[in-house]
Amino acid sequence: MPLDRYFQYSDNAEEERPLYLFDAKFADKVPEMGSDYEVPVYFQEDLFKVLGEERPDYRWVIIGPAGSGSSFHVDPNSTSAWNAVIKGAKKWVMFPPEVPPPGVHPSSDGAEVTSPVSIMEWFMNFYGACRTWEKRPIECVCRAGEIVFVPNGWWHLVINLEESIAITQNYVSSAIT
Ligand SMILES: O=C(O)CCC(=O)C(=O)O
């Protein structure tokens, strides 16, 4: 789908789970986009670089209308991540590794996650309960020019409060094991 067609769609998207665009090849397709930003100083150590061409996808441009987002998950391969908003606003909810979010049921090996059908349903049915927990989630709204750090192993959910564009990059650091 060409980008202008996607924006025609997303400008009018009203469904509960709008199509959310993740492009891992943005820097191959448009090299200027890949060289147009620098990895923030805090995130520059990246042990995954030893894999060279063999490293799994690690950076994405993410675009979606208000209401789109990512349901609860933990990033794979022991990676941490940073997520920089270029346009829009993203609400984040995060739980530490030892606190699976309410309503989210990881399999014993962690490979599969069963969760409510939509992000909206999670907010309606589970969000209220965990706000009074002793280990309540960390929450924030990240706006254009701001960056969120997602530590290795942390559960995270994102909902776009406005049409949003972000760059995210996953990396492996010796700082968190
Ligand atoms: O929707 C987002 O911006 C968050 C993306 C995310 O959590 C991820 O790439 O692991």
Side-chain angles (χ1 to χ4, degrees):
M1 181 189 287
L3 198 57
D4 60 349
R5 176 77 192 86
Y6 178 76
F7 282 123
Q8 276 170 25
Y9 156 78
S10 68
D11 284 349
N12 300 297
E14 287 180 357
E15 62 261 48
E16 194 178 332
R17 302 172 66 184
L19 277 182
Y20 198 22
L21 190 157
F22 278 65
D23 190 351
K25 302 287 178 232
F26 73 95
D28 298 337
K29 294 174 193 161
V30 187
E32 294 84 348
M33 279 179 73
S35 56
D36 206 27
Y37 70 94
E38 283 175 18
V39 174
V41 63
Y42 312 104
F43 313 121
Q44 282 182 1
E45 183 198 34
D46 187 357
L47 304 178
F48 248 13
K49 283 183 187 160
V50 297
L51 294 181
E53 296 290 306
E54 301 298 310
R55 82 179 287 172
D57 287 341
Y58 68 101
R59 59 179 177 172
W60 292 264
V61 65
I62 308 177
I63 304 177
S68 62
S70 301
S71 55
F72 272 114
H73 63 284
V74 172
D75 286 349
N77 302 318
S78 299
T79 53
S80 302
W82 55 269
N83 184 303
V85 176
I86 295 165
K87 175 185 190 295
K90 287 174 179 287
K91 176 162 176 74
W92 287 78
V93 183
M94 288 197 246
F95 287 89
E98 71 280 11
V99 185
V104 174
H105 306 288
S107 61
S108 53
D109 62 0
E112 305 281 336
V113 175
T114 313
S115 58
V117 289
S118 73
I119 297 171
M120 229 39 110
E121 192 176 341
W122 187 84
F123 275 102
M124 286 192 302
N125 294 337
F126 298 100
Y127 180 56
C130 64
R131 297 188 86 192
T132 54
W133 288 6
E134 190 179 330
K135 287 198 176 178
R136 62 181 181 277
I138 291 179
E139 301 178 52
C140 65
V141 175
C142 193
R143 299 179 194 280
E146 298 174 337
I147 297 181
V148 158
F149 166 57
V150 185
N152 166 31
W154 279 59
W155 293 94
H156 52 285
L157 166 152
V158 171
I159 183 158
N160 291 307
L161 303 179
E162 302 167 9
E163 180 182 56
S164 296
I165 302 176
I167 298 271
T168 188
Q169 204 159 306
N170 280 62
Y171 67 100
V172 175
S173 161
S174 61
I176 298 180
T177 54

